[in-house]
């Protein structure tokens, strides 16, 4: 059965009739209920990823109806010496991880609606069971609009699948409090490398559970996740404050993430930007509203080639008065040593805050930059070494910017 489709692995320069032949062969060999695409249609969907640095042609794209279809694709690869298989969420891998040259790519988005059920654990904590192929932005909207609840930990960009971020980590400005998204899941359904469909948790098949979370897709494909929820706030006070000195920036950020829940902001991130008027890398990237202006005369004479911005958010309810929110913010802001006069803030709905990068995506798609290569890199650097990292990387190697964001913010090892 597998030998029947192997002659087509390396021949993707096919005319319409041969594409139909390959499609028929793959369909018959895999015996799945979902859709199978070959040839140009498969390459259009899965020939590249968001990183934009690789282009390969898959043999076929499988759009599964459910776990059994996914298991069938995995078993086909397991039985072959040549056939490979890769799970693809929304295609946001950076270096080809969601691609399979001459192999099968499982398009998990076709399973997005397979699961959505809110429940409660024995202790009363809310959760939602969602498909591994569901987009986080849709999980957010539905949880908030239908139940007034929301997951506790996020990524900055939510046009990603649940299974995709859980296979990596899922890190954002809430991770200092709740940990990454991988720390906010209590149960998974997984298709293993043997093609078995297995439920796992901390107590059941725990080795598989902890291997799959953050396992880069190498230990199994997530088809369902049980994600912890909390009451969703109504509004967010979003704040950016600017620092000239890296030591003061890191000291304040580390102090904020080490405070107890009620004694800090609900979101803490930061970024490095160029000390200049470059619209992509410099001062214009800091203000939060078109009416706000970055005044460089507020910077001290000692400011260097790069500056630092601490990005903060405080959740609140519609019923909270402006004065109450102002007092909570000022109590925290008053402890920080940022450059006076370089503070920007706006109030916006909670969902809009979490979808803030979506607006940047829409602009980038219009001006064409969304399709350009994105050679992104994520690193965890110890507190001991971050000062030297600033000196050698931020202040030297990338002092003119990288044509995109340079995020830097502290996380707690205990989380």
């Amino acid at each position: 059965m597998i030998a029947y489709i192997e002659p087509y692995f390396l021949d993707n320069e096919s005319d319409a009739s041969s594409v139909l032949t390959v499609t028929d062969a793959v369909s018959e060999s895999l015996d799945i209920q979902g859709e199978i695409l070959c040839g140009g249609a498969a390459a259009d969907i899965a020939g590249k990823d968001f990183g934009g640095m690789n282009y390969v042609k898959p043999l076929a794209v499988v759009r599964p109806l459910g776990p059994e279809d996914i298991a069938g694709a995995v078993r086909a690869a397991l039985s072959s010496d040549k056939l490979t298989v890769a799970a693809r969420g929304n295609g946001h891998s950076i270096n080809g991880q969601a691609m399979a040259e001459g192999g099968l790519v499982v398009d998990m988005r076709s399973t997005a609606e397979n699961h959505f059920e809110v429940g409660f654990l024995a202790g009363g904590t809310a959760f939602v069971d969602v498909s591994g192929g569901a987009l986080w932005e849709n999980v957010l909207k539905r949880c908030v609009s239908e139940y007034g609840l929301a997951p506790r930990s996020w990524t900055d960009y939510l046009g990603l699948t649940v299974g995709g971020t859980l296979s990596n980590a899922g890190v954002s400005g809430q991770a200092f409090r709740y940990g990454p998204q991988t720390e906010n899941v209590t149960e998974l359904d997984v298709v293993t490398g043997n093609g078995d469909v297995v439920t796992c948790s901390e107590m059941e098949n725990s080795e598989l559970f902890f291997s799959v979370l953050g396992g880069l897709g190498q230990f199994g494909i997530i088809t369902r996740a049980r994600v912890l929820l909390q009451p969703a706030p109504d509004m967010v006070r979003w704040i950016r404050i600017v620092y000239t000195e890296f030591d003061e920036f890191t000291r304040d950020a580390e102090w904020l993430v080490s405070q107890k829940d009620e004694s800090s902001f609900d979101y803490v991130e930061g970024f490095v930007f160029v000390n200049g008027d470059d619209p992509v890398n410099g001062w214009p990237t800091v203000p939060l509203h078109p009416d706000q202006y970055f005044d460089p005369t507020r910077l001290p004479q000692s400011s260097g080639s790069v500056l630092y911005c601490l990005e903060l958010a405080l959740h609140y309810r519609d019923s909270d008065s402006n004065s109450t929110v102002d007092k909570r913010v000022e109590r925290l802001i008053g402890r920080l040593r940022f450059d006076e006069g370089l503070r920007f803030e706006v109030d916006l709905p909670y969902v809009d805050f979490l979808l803030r990068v979506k607006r940047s995506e829409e602009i980038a798609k219009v001006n064409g930059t969304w399709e350009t290569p994105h050679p992104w890199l994520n690193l965890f650097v110890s507190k001991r070494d971050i000062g030297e990292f600033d000196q050698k990387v931020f202040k030297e190697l990338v002092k003119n910017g990288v044509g995109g964001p340079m995020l830097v913010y502290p996380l707690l090892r205990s989380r």
Side-chain angles (χ1 to χ4, degrees):
M1 177 173 67
I2 298 304
Y4 183 36
I5 63 174
E6 283 188 350
Y8 299 98
F9 285 170
L10 301 179
D11 180 18
N12 283 314
E13 303 296 333
S14 308
D15 58 24
S17 60
S18 60
V19 167
L20 290 175
T21 301
V22 172
T23 304
D24 291 342
V26 175
S27 299
E28 185 175 335
S29 300
L30 294 180
D31 189 26
I32 70 168
Q33 302 302 308
E35 184 180 12
I36 296 175
L37 301 174
C38 295
D44 288 344
I45 293 171
K48 64 178 182 178
D49 61 7
F50 189 63
M53 296 177 288
N54 297 276
Y55 183 83
V56 301
K57 294 182 178 180
L59 171 69
V61 168
V62 176
R63 287 177 165 167
L65 292 183
E68 288 303 324
D69 280 355
I70 300 168
V74 172
R75 285 194 292 267
L78 181 66
S79 302
S80 169
D81 291 334
K82 297 180 181 179
L83 188 64
T84 60
V85 63
R88 180 184 179 95
N90 210 20
H92 273 254
S93 63
I94 300 302
N95 200 32
Q97 296 93 331
M99 298 155 68
E101 184 171 13
L104 303 177
V105 175
V106 180
D107 186 352
M108 296 297 293
R109 294 174 299 179
S110 64
T111 68
E113 302 299 323
N114 285 10
H115 299 281
F116 189 91
E117 183 176 356
V118 171
F120 295 88
L121 301 176
T125 301
F127 68 81
V128 61
D129 282 340
V130 290
S131 169
L135 293 181
W136 281 109
E137 61 186 39
N138 295 332
V139 173
L140 166 68
K141 294 173 184 177
R142 191 167 177 185
C143 283
V144 172
S145 64
E146 296 182 18
Y147 298 94
L149 299 169
R152 308 188 306 179
S153 188
W154 296 98
T155 53
D156 288 330
Y157 175 66
L158 302 189
L160 308 170
T161 59
V162 171
T165 66
L166 294 182
S167 295
N168 286 270
V171 177
S172 185
Q174 304 87 4
F176 77 93
R177 179 170 295 168
Y178 299 110
Q181 289 180 314
T182 50
E183 285 293 307
N184 291 272
V185 176
T186 63
E187 187 176 281
L188 300 171
D189 284 346
V190 174
V191 174
T192 71
N194 291 325
D196 298 322
V197 182
V198 179
T199 298
C200 56
S201 66
E202 290 189 24
M203 304 301 295
E204 180 184 4
N205 298 310
S206 60
E207 185 176 13
L208 177 64
F209 181 73
F210 289 115
S211 297
V212 169
L213 291 172
L216 302 178
Q218 300 305 294
F219 298 91
I221 299 174
I222 298 170
T223 62
R224 177 188 64 89
R226 178 162 292 180
V227 180
L228 296 176
L229 301 175
Q230 65 180 3
D234 299 312
M235 298 290 293
V236 170
R237 174 74 56 87
W238 184 13
I239 303 167
R240 285 178 176 173
I241 51 180
V242 174
Y243 292 77
T244 303
E245 300 300 326
F246 187 70
D247 287 348
E248 293 183 349
F249 165 79
T250 55
R251 193 179 303 120
D252 282 353
E254 290 167 7
W255 178 78
L256 285 171
V257 302
S258 64
Q259 301 304 300
K260 294 182 179 179
D261 289 1
E262 296 301 318
S263 301
S264 188
F265 290 96
D266 298 291
Y267 165 100
V268 178
E269 280 199 18
F271 59 91
V272 184
F273 63 101
V274 173
N275 188 5
D277 60 1
D278 183 334
V280 176
N281 300 293
W283 304 327
T285 63
V286 179
L288 293 168
H289 190 275
D291 294 338
Q292 296 172 348
Y293 170 69
F294 189 104
D295 184 1
T297 64
R298 295 282 189 169
L299 294 169
Q301 292 293 324
S302 60
S303 60
S305 59
V306 296
L307 303 170
Y308 312 93
C309 180
L310 196 55
E311 187 168 43
L312 311 165
L314 185 75
H315 300 165
Y316 63 94
R317 292 287 183 186
D318 286 335
S319 57
D320 293 333
S321 66
N322 287 337
S323 61
T324 298
V325 177
D326 291 343
K327 287 177 181 177
R328 288 175 61 193
V329 169
E330 294 308 319
R331 186 174 67 248
L332 294 169
I333 287 283
R335 298 282 301 268
L336 308 181
R337 289 156 290 193
F338 59 95
D339 294 335
E340 292 296 329
L342 293 174
R343 170 178 169 178
F344 308 89
E345 57 187 74
V346 294
D347 292 271
L348 70 169
Y350 174 68
V351 171
D352 289 355
F353 171 72
L354 290 178
L355 294 177
R356 63 197 179 279
V357 182
K358 186 75 172 179
R359 294 190 293 275
S360 300
E361 174 190 2
E362 292 165 354
I363 294 170
K365 285 183 175 178
V366 171
N367 64 30
T369 58
W370 193 252
E371 298 301 323
T372 60
H374 299 91
W376 291 354
L377 176 66
N378 291 330
L379 296 172
F380 288 104
V381 181
S382 70
K383 176 181 176 180
R384 178 192 62 200
D385 298 319
I386 194 64
E388 183 179 6
F389 190 91
D390 169 61
Q391 290 291 330
K392 294 184 176 180
V393 179
F394 296 143
K395 287 186 171 73
E396 292 183 17
L397 291 178
V398 296
K399 63 182 179 181
N400 296 317
V402 295
M406 295 187 288
L407 306 183
V408 54
Y409 52 94
L411 298 174
L412 300 177
R413 188 185 298 267
S414 61
R415 294 291 189 266

